[in-house]
Amino acid sequence: MFKTVVIVGAGNVAYHLTRALLENTVNLVQIFNRTLSKAQLLAENYNISYTDKISEIKKADIYIICTSDDAISEISYYIPFDDCLVVHTSGSTPISALKGKYRKGVFYPLQTFTQGRSLEYDKIPFFIEAENSSDEGALLALAERISEESYLVDYEKRMKIHMAGVWANNFTNHLYLIAEEICKKQEIPFDALKSIIKEGVDKLVDGVSPYDAQTGPARRLDKSVIEKHLSILEATDSKLFQIYNLLTESIIKLYHEKL
Amino acid sequence: MFKTVVIVGAGNVAYHLTRALLENTVNLVQIFNRTLSKAQLLAENYNISYTDKISEIKKADIYIICTSDDAISEISYYIPFDDCLVVHTSGSTPISALKGKYRKGVFYPLQTFTQGRSLEYDKIPFFIEAENSSDEGALLALAERISEESYLVDYEKRMKIHMAGVWANNFTNHLYLIAEEICKKQEIPFDALKSIIKEGVDKLVDGVSPYDAQTGPARRLDKSVIEKHLSILEATDSKLFQIYNLLTESIIKLYHEKL
């Protein structure tokens, strides 16, 4: 187990990992960030040491880099110790992005992080990789301090899981925006959609599979409604027309074109 | 206000409207359904009269047809009274689908209904139409007995709002299924996605707009990750490749190609 942890970065992931570690009484000794004011803002809340100077980075068992993907390599150079583990938290970055002589790993939480929001950390799955099995075991143990779910996966798998998150979160959010815009044009507020949006997800969280939860005109092959919707979109937005068409075809294929 | 209500149908919508009306002490006098056993199953729970015989349909102020879109016209013929209001509950069916000499209207709840699930009826918006303003007023009053949100909209608007529901519920559910399949291929259970799925919707329910809630590679124009994901999909599924590409282009257009 890691006795001492340093968080590198002070953005959304750093904010939530800091909280998750402290809530689970992990010994977080410092926050290192290139912009001091941000490190200070995060660290002072919890009475942790912070710095923006490489010379002041504390010695620790593990450094968790929580920066954007682009910044991982550069900041990983700054960690001035060899006898430690350094991990990044990115879903789509190989372990080789880490550039020091230390041992290396990955500690990827599958979640969308927003500062100031409260999250159930014990429900966030962690995807772990390390260069040796001893570090893998220690990372799994660290993840298990925070969460009920953790998995050992290599880069190829992690990238695909990250992509699943893009479908499940980023793309669905964009569909909510499309739905909001359709409503706004009819002078109906986004609030009117929240009940159906919430129920759609509540069903899944309660254990209904996406396959069984599917409803709507494509699911029941209601060509008359599909054509009405397509003709509305054809007249207003060719991109939405294409997306509607592809998603509808994909649903029809799944439910009505089985062998 | 309507003093007496008959529900026509015994499926998902009938199940939930029955509960919603009874919870709000509306005087529901009968359930009429062409399959007696289903009417019985629903009505007996609440000690309401039920029938499958036209000759036994009770006189009421309003008949709420809760059948599938296809069945509305046929069943609307059976209502043997003229001095009453008959409404259907469909988002994409014109008022003219109702075929009797009675007064006509629409009482459309924007929600996805599953029998046996509990729903917060006061959060479900109702979209109302009638042939005269007195019936519109009475339908609004009925909706307000159940829900905090109700709107008067004509067929054109209602169809577009229904389409917004398709984007917000049916299509997002299909994206969850796609994400589930990607995870399953990596031997990761769907449960691992539930935390990010839930948080994506919790943010919106808590008042973050879909515009502000957007994250991910397309939002930050991370071409390297987008290309990795597209190359994974190109090799495995041309339909998913197209959908990924269109959704990504649509997000990029929104955030990075503004005038």
Side-chain angles (χ1 to χ4, degrees):
Chain A
M1 227 349 237
F2 308 107
K3 288 192 182 122
T4 46
V5 180
V6 167
I7 291 281
V8 180
N12 291 329
V13 177
Y15 171 90
H16 282 287
L17 269 188
T18 294
R19 287 169 59 108
L21 293 170
L22 292 175
E23 279 181 16
N24 292 287
T25 64
V26 174
N27 185 18
L28 184 53
V29 296
Q30 190 178 46
I31 291 169
F32 166 62
N33 192 56
R34 285 173 296 180
T35 308
L36 188 68
S37 60
K38 286 188 180 172
Q40 183 177 6
L41 203 66
L42 175 55
E44 281 189 340
N45 270 330
Y46 304 105
N47 208 17
I48 313 165
S49 156
Y50 58 93
T51 186
D52 64 342
K53 294 192 179 57
I54 297 167
S55 62
E56 291 178 1
I57 296 179
K58 289 194 181 178
K59 181 84 182 75
D61 293 335
I62 180 171
Y63 297 80
I64 305 178
I65 299 179
C66 303
T67 62
S68 67
D69 294 5
D70 290 347
I72 291 170
S73 281
E74 196 193 330
I75 207 153
S76 76
Y77 274 116
Y78 299 159
I79 295 164
F81 306 106
D82 292 347
D83 180 24
C84 60
L85 179 65
V86 176
V87 297
H88 69 66
T89 52
S90 164
S92 45
T93 306
I95 214 167
S96 59
L98 299 167
K99 298 298 185 189
K101 288 181 181 164
Y102 38 71
R103 306 184 321 278
K104 300 173 182 102
V106 178
F107 193 68
Y108 167 56
L110 179 58
Q111 183 49 284
T112 177
F113 294 104
T114 312
Q115 284 193 47
R117 287 188 58 77
S118 65
L119 287 171
E120 292 180 276
Y121 298 123
D122 59 331
K123 304 295 182 205
I124 299 174
F126 282 82
F127 296 90
I128 281 160
E129 185 181 1
E131 293 170 318
N132 65 66
S133 61
S134 148
D135 284 333
E136 284 178 345
L139 285 170
L140 282 173
L142 183 66
E144 281 160 17
R145 286 282 283 270
I146 300 172
S147 167
E148 295 163 4
E149 269 189 278
S150 52
Y151 303 91
L152 272 183
V153 297
D154 63 15
Y155 174 53
E156 290 298 317
K157 277 198 168 196
R158 188 171 69 252
M159 206 161 54
K160 288 170 185 169
I161 293 157
H162 176 233
M163 182 175 71
V166 169
W167 287 93
N169 176 269
N170 306 154
F171 286 168
T172 54
N173 185 76
H174 190 57
L175 299 194
Y176 295 135
L177 181 134
I178 291 168
E180 179 188 38
E181 290 188 339
I182 293 167
C183 279
K184 272 187 182 165
K185 280 188 194 158
Q186 308 310 317
E187 295 167 325
I188 301 296
F190 182 57
D191 273 355
L193 286 165
K194 286 185 180 172
S195 177
I196 195 170
I197 286 174
K198 190 167 175 299
E199 170 66 1
V201 165
D202 284 350
K203 268 158 71 172
L204 303 185
V205 170
D206 289 349
V208 182
S209 70
Y211 186 90
D212 290 334
Q214 189 67 53
T215 57
R219 171 67 184 88
R220 57 179 190 270
L221 204 61
D222 186 337
K223 288 185 181 172
S224 147
V225 170
I226 292 168
E227 273 161 29
K228 284 174 193 170
H229 290 171
L230 283 173
S231 75
I232 293 168
L233 294 172
E234 196 168 26
T236 53
D237 194 320
S238 67
K239 194 73 110 192
L240 290 194
F241 175 87
Q242 284 180 68
I243 299 173
Y244 188 105
N245 215 5
L246 280 171
L247 289 171
T248 293
E249 282 174 10
S250 183
I251 296 170
I252 289 174
K253 191 179 166 200
L254 184 66
Y255 291 92
H256 300 282
E257 291 175 20
K258 285 196 166 167
L259 294 178
Chain B
M1 224 355 235
F2 307 108
K3 289 193 184 123
T4 46
V5 179
V6 168
I7 291 281
V8 181
N12 291 330
V13 177
Y15 171 91
H16 282 287
L17 270 188
T18 294
R19 287 169 59 108
L21 292 170
L22 293 174
E23 278 181 18
N24 293 286
T25 64
V26 173
N27 184 18
L28 184 53
V29 297
Q30 191 178 45
I31 291 170
F32 167 62
N33 192 56
R34 285 173 297 180
T35 308
L36 189 67
S37 59
K38 286 188 181 174
Q40 183 176 7
L41 203 67
L42 176 55
E44 282 189 339
N45 270 330
Y46 304 106
N47 208 15
I48 313 165
S49 155
Y50 59 91
T51 186
D52 64 342
K53 294 192 178 57
I54 297 167
S55 62
E56 290 177 2
I57 297 179
K58 288 194 180 178
K59 182 86 180 75
D61 294 335
I62 180 171
Y63 298 79
I64 305 179
I65 298 179
C66 304
T67 62
S68 67
D69 294 6
D70 291 348
I72 291 170
S73 281
E74 196 193 330
I75 207 152
S76 77
Y77 273 116
Y78 298 159
I79 295 164
F81 306 105
D82 292 348
D83 180 24
C84 61
L85 178 66
V86 176
V87 297
H88 70 65
T89 52
S90 164
S92 45
T93 305
I95 213 166
S96 59
L98 299 167
K99 298 298 184 189
K101 287 182 180 165
Y102 38 73
R103 305 184 322 278
K104 299 172 184 103
V106 177
F107 193 67
Y108 167 54
L110 179 58
Q111 183 51 281
T112 176
F113 294 104
T114 311
Q115 284 193 47
R117 287 188 58 79
S118 65
L119 287 171
E120 293 179 276
Y121 298 123
D122 59 332
K123 304 295 182 204
I124 299 175
F126 282 82
F127 296 90
I128 281 160
E129 185 181 0
E131 292 170 319
N132 65 64
S133 60
S134 148
D135 284 332
E136 284 179 346
L139 285 170
L140 282 173
L142 182 66
E144 282 159 17
R145 286 282 283 271
I146 299 171
S147 168
E148 295 163 3
E149 269 190 279
S150 52
Y151 303 90
L152 273 182
V153 296
D154 63 15
Y155 174 52
E156 289 298 318
K157 277 197 169 197
R158 188 171 67 253
M159 206 161 51
K160 288 169 185 170
I161 293 157
H162 177 233
M163 182 175 70
V166 169
W167 288 92
N169 177 269
N170 307 154
F171 286 168
T172 54
N173 185 76
H174 189 58
L175 299 194
Y176 295 136
L177 180 134
I178 290 168
E180 179 188 37
E181 290 188 340
I182 293 166
C183 278
K184 272 187 184 164
K185 279 188 195 158
Q186 307 311 315
E187 294 167 328
I188 300 296
F190 182 57
D191 273 355
L193 286 164
K194 285 186 180 172
S195 177
I196 195 169
I197 286 174
K198 190 168 176 296
E199 170 66 2
V201 165
D202 284 350
K203 266 157 76 170
L204 303 185
V205 170
D206 289 348
V208 181
S209 70
Y211 187 90
D212 290 334
Q214 188 66 54
T215 57
R219 171 68 183 87
R220 57 178 192 271
L221 204 60
D222 187 337
K223 288 185 181 171
S224 146
V225 170
I226 292 167
E227 273 161 30
K228 284 174 193 170
H229 290 171
L230 284 173
S231 75
I232 292 169
L233 293 172
E234 198 169 23
T236 53
D237 194 319
S238 68
K239 195 73 112 192
L240 291 194
F241 176 87
Q242 284 180 69
I243 299 173
Y244 187 105
N245 213 7
L246 279 170
L247 289 171
T248 293
E249 281 175 9
S250 184
I251 296 170
I252 290 174
K253 191 178 166 200
L254 184 67
Y255 291 92
H256 299 283
E257 292 175 21
K258 284 196 167 166
L259 295 177

